[in-house]
Amino acid sequence: MPQHPVTAIIMATLLEAEPFIEALALQKETDRPCAIYRRENVVLLISGLGKANAAMATTCACLTFKPKLICNLGAAGATKDSLPLGSIHQINKVTEPDRPDLTNGKPHVTHPQTLPEFEIAILATHDRPIKTLEERREIAHYADLCDMEGAAIVQAAEKFGIPCLLFKFVSDTPHPDEQDNILERIKDLRSPFCSFFVNSVLSKL
């Protein structure tokens, strides 16, 4: 049972999380059910890729640490050329194209909390990577970004009545030359993203 209000950060991969672990001086606690790093009032969980892993990590965070807030942070692919590499966006709507609403057949929609004064974008969450230009053009009709975890984290947090914020940085775009070497690009962009979140968001929570 934490003795201070905890902010829980959930990220998909260690690659994305490494600058946060260093900047926030987090210490590793365990590898099960997922890798967990923490200090007194911040805990970071590395969920692994995909909705199921994301939902389980969020549930673990809620039950174990009873956080005041959950933040899902990480890389996302842009569906439009207007969102440049490295740009950072707060998510105000998440759609699931591979999970239709049974009442109307449209993609399931959830709405995370938002903070004022940050650039807003709509996120599409799929359980598989979106790689082709054609897929991105289709998703661009209803979302600006795509990932594999966001929707599950928002919904799991809602089950526990815990507010959830999502911030994503663009790691790849529809431009053909930017479809390769995404891991190297994440390495280049993750530290500026960490600095943004620690200095502009976490310091104000």
Side-chain angles (χ1 to χ4, degrees):
M1 176 82 74
Q3 300 189 3
H4 301 274
V6 170
T7 297
I9 298 172
I10 299 178
M11 305 184 75
T13 67
L14 179 60
L15 178 67
E16 297 162 287
E18 284 174 334
F20 291 82
I21 294 168
E22 181 177 355
L24 297 172
L26 304 177
Q27 299 296 315
K28 191 171 187 179
E29 286 200 341
T30 184
D31 279 315
R32 301 180 69 86
C34 60
I36 299 175
Y37 299 77
R38 75 166 301 182
R39 69 181 196 199
E40 188 174 70
N41 60 346
V42 177
V43 59
L44 188 154
L45 295 87
I46 299 176
S47 66
L49 298 174
K51 295 181 190 178
N53 284 331
M56 286 187 284
T58 307
T59 299
C60 173
C62 293
L63 291 174
T64 305
F65 301 103
K66 298 178 173 55
K68 64 176 183 178
L69 176 68
I70 288 175
C71 299
N72 173 222
L73 312 176
T79 65
K80 305 170 182 178
D81 289 318
S82 57
L83 276 62
L85 284 173
S87 60
I88 297 170
H89 307 271
Q90 181 178 207
I91 305 303
N92 68 341
K93 177 180 177 181
V94 187
T95 71
E96 290 182 90
D98 54 1
R99 182 192 171 196
D101 187 321
L102 297 180
T103 62
N104 56 27
K106 296 180 180 180
H108 190 272
V109 173
T110 51
H111 295 276
Q113 279 71 30
T114 57
L115 299 174
E117 300 180 3
F118 294 110
E119 187 171 350
I120 293 296
I122 298 173
L123 177 71
T125 296
H126 298 74
D127 241 334
R128 60 179 178 82
I130 301 302
K131 295 182 177 180
T132 70
L133 180 59
E134 291 73 21
E135 287 177 310
R136 292 194 191 224
R137 284 175 174 166
E138 179 62 29
I139 297 168
H141 292 296
Y142 48 83
D144 308 299
L145 299 167
C146 50
D147 82 341
M148 297 174 62
E149 296 82 30
I153 292 169
V154 175
Q155 291 169 53
E158 285 181 348
K159 294 289 186 181
F160 290 90
I162 297 174
C164 184
L165 299 173
L166 274 67
F167 284 89
K168 303 288 180 175
F169 70 92
V170 176
S171 59
D172 52 292
T173 76
H175 196 281
D177 293 340
E178 294 171 0
Q179 297 303 305
D180 298 323
N181 300 318
I182 293 177
L183 296 183
E184 290 301 317
R185 202 166 296 117
I186 289 174
K187 288 181 182 179
D188 292 337
L189 299 171
R190 61 185 181 171
S191 292
F193 177 62
C194 173
S195 296
F196 157 80
F197 180 77
V198 171
N199 296 323
S200 299
V201 182
L202 187 61
S203 63
K204 300 176 181 178
L205 296 178

